[in-house]
Amino acid sequence: MIYGITGKIGSGKDLATYFIKDYFDITIDVDKIGKYFFEEKKFEIYKKIRVKNKEDLVKEVFKSKKCMEKLEKILHPYMKTFVKKICKRIEKFICNGQIYKRNILINCALLHKLKFDKICDKIIIIDSDKKIRLDRLIKNRNLNYEDALLRVEYHEKYHFLNEKNMNRFLKFRKDKKKNILKNKKYIIIYNNSSKEELEKQVKEVIYGRIW
């Protein structure tokens, strides 16, 4: 079975992934794959977006949707092909004549934009309030307020998981006993409290089979 885990910047999806990774046979970190292909293609990217270095690139792509689209147009085809090949090769295995499925976790901020939602059986969405995500970026990534706000605001406007898209595409039912929303494929965990609470919730989803 293939699970996806996603969330806007600062939501805590990487921490949630850490808490449940032992359940899965393999965890695919798409952000790391993106960084690999960025290093392979960075000079092509700098030329296309007309910047001299990574620092300038980051500022441009979070200020301009067009610049972000140019970056994604170069990197995303490589990322999609790579991840889909991995999943296809390792999802099934044969033992004593029986076909078994491995449990795979795809950790990806842009899960829907890269269309990995199409290959996932279940998807966990980690969400947090905007102010909390902003504070986390400042504290955990050593960003100043302006740089952190730039990233958060971009995700608020253009990320698949913005409020407009969530209401439009997904219909959830609320679990009154837990701070979650869910349907047959998706579950939303709200990470507005402590790390311990996030660990408890995400493990209940995986080990307790809340769906």
Side-chain angles (χ1 to χ4, degrees):
M1 183 174 283
I2 300 177
Y3 282 70
I5 186 164
T6 188
K8 288 178 281 191
I9 191 167
S11 62
K13 72 173 181 62
D14 289 339
L15 184 60
T17 298
Y18 173 79
F19 289 141
I20 59 174
K21 62 183 176 63
D22 289 343
Y23 172 82
F24 295 92
D25 298 300
I26 184 169
T27 298
I28 301 171
D29 189 328
V30 181
D31 290 343
K32 287 183 179 178
I33 293 168
K35 288 175 182 177
Y36 169 80
F37 284 114
F38 171 79
E39 289 299 322
E40 292 281 307
K41 300 291 178 180
K42 63 183 177 183
F43 296 113
E44 178 185 344
I45 292 167
Y46 295 160
K47 184 178 179 180
K48 191 76 173 178
I49 301 178
R50 297 179 181 178
V51 294
K52 294 181 178 180
N53 52 52
K54 188 175 180 179
E55 185 178 335
D56 292 341
L57 175 68
V58 170
K59 290 178 181 178
E60 287 300 317
V61 296
F62 283 111
K63 283 180 182 178
S64 167
K65 188 182 179 183
K66 286 185 178 180
C67 288
M68 181 68 83
E69 287 172 347
K70 288 179 182 178
L71 173 67
E72 292 173 346
K73 189 175 181 180
I74 295 171
L75 292 182
H76 283 190
Y78 294 100
M79 295 164 67
K80 284 194 279 190
T81 300
F82 188 82
V83 171
K84 287 179 179 179
K85 278 185 178 179
I86 292 175
C87 291
K88 188 174 182 180
R89 285 179 183 176
I90 67 173
E91 185 182 8
K92 296 177 182 179
F93 68 99
I94 299 174
C95 182
N96 296 327
Q98 295 288 325
I99 298 175
Y100 297 92
K101 277 192 171 185
R102 290 187 173 94
N103 286 323
I104 299 169
L105 179 63
I106 300 174
N107 174 10
C108 181
L110 301 179
L111 191 84
H112 296 83
K113 180 167 275 192
L114 288 162
K115 301 189 184 305
F116 295 146
D117 58 309
K118 306 296 183 186
I119 63 173
C120 290
D121 301 293
K122 301 286 186 181
I123 295 173
I124 301 167
I125 297 170
I126 308 296
D127 198 12
S128 299
D129 292 344
K130 179 180 175 181
K131 185 181 183 305
I132 292 174
R133 289 186 282 111
L134 183 61
D135 290 342
R136 285 177 185 150
L137 290 182
I138 294 169
K139 180 181 178 181
N140 299 332
R141 302 199 188 183
N142 200 28
L143 296 173
N144 60 44
Y145 178 83
E146 290 75 17
D147 287 343
L149 183 63
L150 195 65
R151 288 159 170 76
V152 169
E153 291 287 2
Y154 186 90
H155 272 226
E156 288 295 310
K157 288 181 182 177
Y158 302 119
H159 198 283
F160 173 83
L161 301 177
N162 62 34
E163 187 175 351
K164 180 181 177 182
N165 280 345
M166 292 288 279
N167 293 333
R168 182 179 175 187
F169 293 115
L170 309 172
K171 292 182 180 179
F172 295 95
R173 65 184 187 275
K174 188 167 185 177
D175 189 320
K176 294 180 180 179
K177 296 180 181 179
K178 305 180 186 299
N179 190 26
I180 61 172
L181 294 175
K182 61 186 178 180
N183 63 23
K184 288 184 178 180
K185 182 168 182 174
Y186 291 86
I187 192 161
I188 305 176
I189 297 174
Y190 291 101
N191 179 28
N192 290 324
S193 185
S194 64
K195 293 179 180 179
E196 290 76 16
E197 182 63 23
L198 175 63
E199 181 178 11
K200 177 184 174 184
Q201 285 187 303
V202 76
K203 283 185 175 179
E204 282 180 346
V205 167
I206 296 299
Y207 298 107
R209 304 296 178 93
I210 288 178
W211 260 290

